[in-house]
Amino acid sequence: MNNATLKQIATQLGISTTTVSKALRNYSDISEKTKKAVIELASQLNYTPNSFAVNLRTSESKTIGVIIPTIDFQFFSKVFKGVLEEAEKRDYMVIVLCSNEKLELEKKQIDLLLSKRVDGIIISLSNETGDFDHIKKILAHNTSLVLFDKIAKLVNCSKVSINDRKAAYEAVDYLIKKGRKKIAHFRGSYMPQNSIDRFLGYKKALEDNGITYDSSLVYVCDGLSDFEDGYATAKIACEQHPDLDAIFTVTDLVAVGVLKYLQNLAIPVPQQIAVFGFCNSFLSEITTPKLSTVDQPGFEIGRKAAEILFEEIQLKKEKQPITFQTIELQTSLLQRGSA
């Protein structure tokens, strides 16, 4: 049986649609007898509220959008779990979209979410995102916005991230303290801020330890598959630098590709070449040897981003001023068998 409407319930009971609506929302000016009759009939007729109509009246969609750049990276699944936990507390639905690291798709997805009148958007930018007019459009639509992980410093909104430069510095400094002198960096694309900061942390750690920076030891992994990038780049780096003794990668998945290549060539890890990843994904615990990595708190990043977003949505509803927040969560090094 199709869901009933307020009008059908009202007609059968001989009352107005306004009375039915008030009874279902437990208004005090409706008698208990009427409320009981309305609720019983609504249940019999499988009545459910028209959420779109309710949204038009309340100017709320009770929906938020999340845009992630890739589905291949476990970090983002952790983030989504954190977002979902906060959304469920507030009876919000979450629309999740993936830009596949493409700027044009990211723009279309933002337009889609705005057309759906979501109450807020949480987004990690694509590798191709270098101008931010489409991001600023979200704010122009008076829609709450929180950026995370791959953020834009030039966009005036709340942001949740880590100190990528510090985390990378600590990882490379650790490798140097373990006696590594020729350390390659498999970096991400040139555009994203987190990729830039991880590279700068790598470079500063070398300089602070008296190791001359060598640009030929830096390789860009910017394909759509981190594992294949890591494998292919490890081959090139080992051929170009036979005396290489460590590799610091932009993500764990790149590092897993590196480990696979080294294992195929029977190059002992970490005895000959140490490998250090970034993220602390599930894969890092099941490789042989287990992958040393930076523990990036994905769940907490997602939870905090959602918490801030919902705070801003509520402040807008109450017409209160909003102070944008920049939250920097702590990382730590996980020293395992690969380094």
Side-chain angles (χ1 to χ4, degrees):
M1 182 178 179
N2 292 331
N3 289 344
T5 64
L6 288 177
K7 186 175 181 181
Q8 287 172 323
I9 296 170
T11 300
Q12 287 199 34
L13 293 175
I15 57 180
S16 69
T17 54
T18 300
T19 300
V20 172
S21 178
K22 285 186 170 185
L24 290 170
R25 287 183 286 167
N26 200 27
Y27 273 53
S28 59
D29 59 341
I30 305 298
S31 71
E32 291 303 318
K33 181 182 177 182
T34 301
K35 287 178 187 176
K36 185 172 183 292
V38 169
I39 291 169
E40 286 179 354
L41 183 57
S43 178
Q44 291 171 21
L45 297 178
N46 297 321
Y47 170 77
T48 55
N50 183 331
S51 60
F52 183 70
V54 171
N55 294 343
L56 288 177
R57 289 196 301 272
T58 63
S59 298
E60 288 183 295
S61 68
K62 296 295 285 185
T63 305
I64 62 169
V66 177
I67 301 178
I68 59 174
T70 176
I71 58 174
D72 293 335
F73 195 14
Q74 196 201 5
F75 165 72
F76 291 110
S77 69
K78 292 181 180 179
V79 171
F80 177 60
K81 286 179 182 176
V83 172
L84 200 58
E85 181 176 283
E86 291 300 310
E88 287 177 343
K89 289 179 187 176
R90 299 164 175 83
D91 293 325
Y92 261 76
M93 296 292 290
V94 183
I95 300 172
V96 185
L97 301 171
C98 178
S99 69
N100 206 27
E101 301 288 11
K102 299 297 182 184
L103 173 60
E104 288 308 312
L105 184 53
E106 182 178 273
K107 289 179 178 179
K108 289 177 182 177
Q109 290 172 343
I110 286 173
D111 286 340
L112 173 66
L113 292 174
L114 292 176
S115 73
K116 297 293 184 185
R117 299 187 180 185
V118 295
D119 295 332
I121 296 175
I122 298 172
I123 181 171
S124 178
L125 302 176
S126 81
N127 284 344
E128 293 183 355
T129 305
D131 68 83
F132 310 112
D133 288 346
H134 62 299
I135 306 297
K136 293 174 182 177
K137 184 200 290 189
I138 299 170
L139 299 170
H141 274 71
N142 200 34
T143 300
S144 296
L145 169 67
V146 176
L147 297 178
F148 77 94
D149 189 45
K150 290 195 279 188
I151 63 174
K153 292 182 177 178
L154 297 177
V155 177
N156 190 25
C157 69
S158 291
K159 305 173 183 76
V160 181
S161 61
I162 60 170
N163 189 327
D164 286 283
R165 193 177 305 196
K166 177 174 177 284
Y169 181 99
E170 290 174 346
V172 176
D173 185 65
Y174 168 80
L175 289 169
I176 295 169
K177 295 293 191 291
K178 296 284 279 188
R180 309 295 170 166
K181 296 186 180 347
K182 193 157 188 178
I183 305 169
H185 177 38
F186 291 7
R187 62 164 295 163
S189 298
Y190 290 112
M191 204 84 76
Q193 191 63 52
N194 64 351
S195 176
I196 294 169
D197 286 340
R198 289 174 198 180
F199 162 71
L200 292 174
Y202 157 81
K203 188 178 180 184
K204 186 73 163 61
L206 295 177
E207 292 169 351
D208 285 357
N209 283 279
I211 298 175
T212 302
Y213 167 69
D214 180 354
S215 61
S216 73
L217 288 168
V218 178
Y219 298 84
V220 179
C221 293
D222 60 355
L224 287 178
S225 177
D226 283 5
F227 175 82
E228 279 82 1
D229 272 357
Y231 188 97
T233 307
K235 181 178 187 297
I236 295 168
C238 289
E239 289 172 353
Q240 292 180 344
H241 300 279
D243 55 344
L244 192 67
D245 62 10
I247 299 172
F248 168 57
T249 66
V250 69
T251 69
D252 281 352
L253 201 50
V254 170
V256 173
V258 172
L259 286 176
K260 180 64 175 173
Y261 174 78
L262 296 177
Q263 287 167 356
N264 283 355
L265 267 69
I267 295 174
V269 176
Q271 292 83 355
Q272 183 173 332
I273 298 180
V275 181
F276 213 104
F278 203 111
C279 174
N280 188 26
S281 66
F282 169 72
L283 285 173
S284 67
E285 296 190 78
I286 61 172
T287 57
T288 303
K290 289 185 178 180
L291 180 67
S292 295
T293 185
V294 174
D295 184 20
Q296 186 179 11
F299 178 85
E300 184 60 20
I301 287 173
R303 194 196 66 75
K304 192 64 183 176
E307 183 182 86
I308 292 171
L309 188 77
F310 289 124
E311 285 176 6
E312 294 187 5
I313 289 170
Q314 186 61 32
L315 287 170
K316 281 185 179 179
K317 189 177 176 182
E318 297 171 356
K319 294 183 169 46
Q320 296 294 317
I322 295 171
T323 301
F324 295 132
Q325 303 177 56
T326 298
I327 304 296
E328 190 176 277
L329 297 178
Q330 294 301 307
T331 59
S332 60
L333 299 186
L334 295 177
Q335 299 157 18
R336 298 184 179 131
S338 70

